[in-house]
Amino acid sequence: MRNEQLLLKSLFSLASMVEARDPYTGGHLWRVSQLSRLMAQAGGLAPAEVARVMVGGFLHDLGKIAVPDAILNKPDRLTEQEYAVIKTHPSVGHRLLSDHPLAALALHAVTAHHERPDGAGYPHRLSGTDIPLDARIVGVADAFDAMTSTRPYRRGMSIDQALGIVAECLGSQFDSHWGKLLITLGQQGVLDHIVGYSEPSIPLQDCPACGPIVVIHRHQVDSSLVYCRHCGGELKLLRSDGQIKLMPTGAFGDAAALQPAVEHEILDELVGLARTCLASDTTIASQSV
């Protein structure tokens, strides 16, 4: 069991490094994993299935390792050719995972999270319940987080606005069953502690100089120095009465300060939550909920 936990953490670490390439997507993997977990729980899946869906949510974008930085970080909408490159990431993720000992935990979520019920998705234009269960859940969570997150070309939407779009696209872009569950959870306020956060109780911050997301971690205490990985600016972290503020120092980080770091504490927590699927048969479920 210990070896399986280490293998899973290595996958989580790799996914974290892939995410760190894009300063606008800080915390995306954690949010998608938690949204997927909440939806799976609300849908009555068994604990091992809930854990597997959560793992798939965190690993779903592994294939973006092959997307060039110029496309991944483009501060404008993508051209048709650039979008075609982005659309290769599920297939790349499949190749990365296919021979891994824990591939069954995430392969469907990685490969099929951009498929759509109406068959207009990618990479295989699957439709309806031909789309694996895990991918149907993660696909809804991924799109919802994308809508509620700030991107180079737009600010993030409100929860209500994003839920409205999900409601309009049920049965076409989003699985009706899981999309309705997300809407219900959102209307109940169950998602409020996830949207706009990078880990529990840590809200995302804007860089005062350039705007992109600065991710703060729980181990960073008052007066810690943090760095924007977009502009390189040095910022002093100010914590007061549960609030977080960033104060520019006027300095810039060196190469060591700007390199991404693996946040072992949160990854260990995710591995702990995933123990039920590691302890059970890891064969991907074929049920169609």
Side-chain angles (χ1 to χ4, degrees):
M1 183 60 67
R2 178 62 178 165
N3 286 339
E4 289 180 337
Q5 291 176 4
L6 290 173
L7 282 169
L8 182 57
K9 185 176 178 180
S10 71
L11 287 175
F12 285 162
S13 297
L14 175 60
S16 296
M17 292 298 98
V18 174
E19 179 179 69
R21 296 173 59 214
D22 184 349
Y24 277 91
T25 58
H28 172 67
L29 301 182
W30 177 80
R31 291 190 298 276
V32 172
S33 71
Q34 297 310 300
L35 292 167
S36 299
R37 177 180 61 83
L38 289 174
M39 292 165 62
Q41 288 175 333
L45 298 189
E49 294 177 295
V50 172
R52 190 191 65 236
V53 169
M54 182 201 70
V55 169
F58 198 89
L59 299 179
H60 74 281
D61 273 343
L62 271 178
K64 284 188 175 178
I65 194 171
V67 178
D69 286 345
I71 295 176
L72 200 63
N73 298 318
K74 185 179 179 181
D76 201 352
R77 293 191 179 276
L78 300 177
T79 66
E80 184 175 339
Q81 184 176 13
E82 291 165 339
Y83 185 50
V85 174
I86 285 284
K87 288 167 67 174
T88 64
H89 78 270
S91 298
V92 172
H94 181 276
R95 293 199 296 274
L96 279 173
L97 267 184
S98 58
D99 292 327
H100 194 278
L102 300 182
L105 294 180
L107 201 57
H108 279 174
V110 167
T111 304
H113 65 279
H114 282 294
E115 302 288 358
R116 295 172 39 137
D118 61 5
Y122 62 88
H124 299 304
R125 299 184 68 85
L126 302 177
S127 62
T129 55
D130 288 338
I131 303 171
L133 170 64
D134 297 20
R136 280 179 271 150
I137 298 172
V138 172
V140 174
D142 181 39
F144 175 76
D145 186 66
M147 288 187 281
T148 54
S149 299
T150 294
R151 290 291 185 263
Y153 49 86
R154 60 154 176 80
R155 296 294 301 178
M157 302 176 189
S158 69
I159 290 177
D160 287 343
Q161 185 179 2
L163 292 177
I165 292 175
V166 172
E168 291 173 2
C169 298
L170 291 174
S172 55
Q173 182 175 354
F174 305 116
D175 180 90
S176 293
H177 176 77
W178 297 106
K180 288 177 182 177
L181 268 180
L182 180 80
I183 292 169
T184 299
L185 292 172
Q187 292 172 340
Q188 293 173 344
V190 177
L191 311 181
D192 293 355
H193 69 293
I194 297 174
V195 175
Y197 289 78
S198 58
E199 57 182 272
S201 302
I202 308 292
L204 294 167
Q205 304 294 311
D206 287 343
C207 174
C210 70
I213 300 303
V214 178
V215 176
I216 305 300
H217 301 287
R218 68 190 76 174
H219 63 80
Q220 293 171 317
V221 299
D222 186 51
S223 296
S224 293
L225 294 177
V226 298
Y227 299 88
C228 173
R229 297 194 65 254
H230 183 262
C231 69
E234 183 181 81
L235 308 157
K236 180 177 284 189
L237 172 63
L238 303 175
R239 291 179 180 267
S240 177
D241 298 325
Q243 301 297 310
I244 294 175
K245 293 184 180 179
L246 299 178
M247 181 76 67
T249 68
F252 290 88
D254 58 18
L258 295 176
Q259 67 182 350
V262 174
E263 294 301 318
H264 292 283
E265 187 173 355
I266 191 168
L267 297 188
D268 286 340
E269 289 177 0
L270 290 169
V271 170
L273 289 171
R275 279 182 297 189
T276 54
C277 63
L278 290 173
S280 67
D281 181 1
T282 56
T283 301
I284 295 176
S286 60
Q287 68 185 93
S288 299
V289 174

